[in-house]
Amino acid sequence: MLKNVIRNAGFAVLGLLAGTGLLSPEHSHATDYATIEASPALWTIEADGATVHLLGTFHLLPDALNWRSDAVNAAFDEADTLWLEADVLSAEAQARMQALIPQLGLNPQGVTLSSLLGPDTFAAFEAQTAELGVPAGNFEPVQPWLAGITLGAMQLQSFGFNPAMGVEAVLSAQANAQGKSIGYLETAEGQLRILADLPMDIQIEWLRVSLDEMGDLRGELDRMVTAWATGDMDMLDSQVNGSIRDASPELYEALMVNRNHDWVPHIEAMLAAGGTHFVAVGAGHMPGDDGVVALLQAQGHTVTRRD
């Protein structure tokens, strides 16, 4: 089960690297996403004249997928403020990320990725980077967590998943064009540290099993994105969260549950402040007993799903 923990942990934070310049050129993908009639799950809370809309997101998406349903468009148009997980898209944020990644992701002097991984795992890593046209030697200075996340992001783009088409990028551009305010629930550094602070043996195992599963990555993405785009929350919860819950409660707490709990007071503050808010955070944070929707309901809020 650890392989699922590692894989899904990577999906949970992969969008952080969308603006860091580490991604490979885009290649074609096989799935015809244009045939999906998208209706992603959207929830609304109304209280004392304030409104909060909640939408789960994918940070990278194929160009052909039209995920903007009428309900999402209407809710976004109503909003005064867009709330995202963290600022990773602005020029200032990208500069901070470029500075943070060397601080958090580089090995100590004299330590290389190949020396950490050993010959067999590094050979598998070389095979994957060769398919993407990037020398494995470029990764020698970096820690396994960063190597794995970067390789995963490159694979996503090789399948035609585009950071410019991710929900956050699209909504941010529209919010700026319409003069909406943009707020953030946490910092990019805090998100990166979730992985950077993992013990080295877990980082190494993460990368090893990620390499073992690269062959099924396209199918995994197809299932996740289809579940999200069609509003199948049970399937999305199972695909994104289920194996983390089952195999590593500690990692699930760090990646999902703790952050969900941290966000609930922010959302309640939006309701207290008045106005209309649109909250767009990673899709895995919405479903399940530990999801943002259930936590808000547990606080006594009526959270209505919109179709």
Side-chain angles (χ1 to χ4, degrees):
M1 292 300 293
L2 180 60
K3 63 185 181 180
N4 292 323
V5 173
I6 291 170
R7 178 191 60 209
N8 289 327
F11 286 135
V13 295
L14 197 52
L16 288 172
L17 296 182
T20 62
L22 294 173
L23 305 183
S24 67
E26 182 180 337
H27 301 279
S28 62
H29 58 77
T31 304
D32 185 5
Y33 285 97
T35 64
I36 296 177
E37 187 174 346
S39 181
L42 177 73
W43 295 267
T44 297
I45 311 170
E46 295 179 319
D48 298 326
T51 302
V52 175
H53 302 294
L54 304 170
L55 176 71
T57 70
F58 265 71
H59 306 307
L60 295 85
L61 285 170
D63 294 355
L65 177 62
N66 179 14
W67 53 268
R68 298 291 296 266
S69 66
D70 290 343
V72 169
N73 286 334
F76 186 81
D77 288 343
E78 294 171 3
D80 309 305
T81 304
L82 169 66
W83 293 88
L84 305 174
E85 292 181 25
D87 181 9
V88 297
L89 297 174
S90 70
E92 295 82 3
Q94 290 185 32
R96 289 195 300 271
M97 294 282 283
Q98 292 284 10
L100 278 171
I101 285 178
Q103 291 177 29
L104 300 177
L106 294 186
N107 292 311
Q109 187 172 2
V111 178
T112 62
L113 182 66
S114 58
S115 68
L116 291 169
L117 298 183
D120 292 342
T121 300
F122 192 71
F125 185 81
E126 283 185 300
Q128 289 295 331
T129 58
E131 289 186 9
L132 294 165
V134 179
N138 290 2
F139 292 85
E140 284 283 38
V142 306
Q143 294 181 13
W145 76 266
L146 182 56
I149 290 295
T150 306
L151 184 63
M154 293 168 63
Q155 286 280 17
L156 285 182
Q157 283 201 275
S158 77
F159 298 153
F161 281 67
N162 184 354
M165 298 304 293
V167 175
E168 289 84 355
V170 172
L171 293 183
S172 293
Q174 186 174 349
N176 287 324
Q178 295 179 353
K180 299 181 188 292
S181 299
I182 301 179
Y184 305 99
L185 301 176
E186 57 192 12
T187 68
E189 179 174 357
Q191 292 182 327
L192 285 172
R193 285 191 181 277
I194 295 172
L195 295 181
D197 291 344
L198 287 173
M200 186 56 66
D201 59 337
I202 297 298
Q203 292 191 36
I204 294 168
E205 182 68 1
W206 175 342
L207 181 52
R208 185 187 67 78
V209 297
S210 296
L211 293 168
D212 289 344
E213 295 210 338
M214 284 294 179
D216 188 46
L217 181 59
R218 186 191 296 265
E220 187 80 9
L221 287 167
D222 286 345
R223 291 187 288 273
M224 287 183 178
V225 173
T226 300
W228 168 74
T230 57
D232 187 342
M233 289 295 97
D234 290 339
M235 178 62 72
L236 186 66
D237 185 40
S238 175
Q239 289 289 321
V240 178
N241 297 326
S243 57
I244 308 179
R245 277 196 301 264
D246 294 342
S248 180
E250 296 82 9
L251 189 56
Y252 179 60
E253 289 281 330
L255 285 174
M256 309 302 291
V257 178
N258 291 345
R259 296 168 69 206
N260 293 348
H261 279 277
D262 288 343
W263 294 346
V264 167
H266 288 285
I267 295 170
E268 291 183 317
M270 298 172 203
L271 293 168
T276 302
H277 307 262
F278 193 100
V279 178
V281 297
H285 291 280
M286 292 299 172
D289 293 339
D290 301 309
V292 170
V293 172
L295 293 177
L296 286 165
Q297 290 171 333
Q299 292 297 315
H301 299 286
T302 299
V303 187
T304 303
R305 181 162 172 177
R306 299 177 57 174
D307 296 318

